[in-house]
Amino acid sequence: MHIEDGRVYFDAHDEDVLNNATLQEAKHRLEGDRRLLWEAVGPDALPSDPIDADNLEMDIAAALVSDDFETLGRLVSAMALEYAFKCCHDQIVDDWQEHFRDDDYEER
């Protein structure tokens, strides 16, 4: 990570750490925000690609019909986390950038 021209730039490792932190924050926000939780398990959370959305819907239906609750749980939780990650990502990145602009992180 380095700061140049007042902007924060991340290297690949920093981005991996940021993505993991964002995922953890998305989980936390899903737990604390019921509106986000229900959006994340509803139709708004389906993939934007119509084929991917259709495939996911078919997989969820198949898991329900076959009483495969492990697969059902995995599918719905992955969909919810991906949706929450997308919803939270920009705000969390802004928070991280503000954090890294703190004097403790400024390049000298």
Side-chain angles (χ1 to χ4, degrees), residues 36-70:
L36 177 61
L37 172 65
W38 286 111
E39 281 180 24
V41 295
D44 289 343
L46 287 169
S48 56
D49 180 284
I51 294 171
D52 291 342
D54 189 51
N55 288 339
L56 180 58
E57 287 174 319
M58 287 190 304
D59 290 344
I60 288 172
L64 277 168
V65 168
S66 65
D67 294 330
D68 186 354
F69 301 116
E70 184 177 330

Side-chain angles (χ1 to χ4, degrees), residues 1-10 97 101 106-107:
M1 189 264 319
H2 69 279
I3 299 172
E4 185 178 307
D5 298 326
R7 296 187 66 134
V8 178
Y9 295 91
F10 298 108
Q97 287 178 339
R101 284 192 179 99
E106 288 289 335
E107 289 184 341

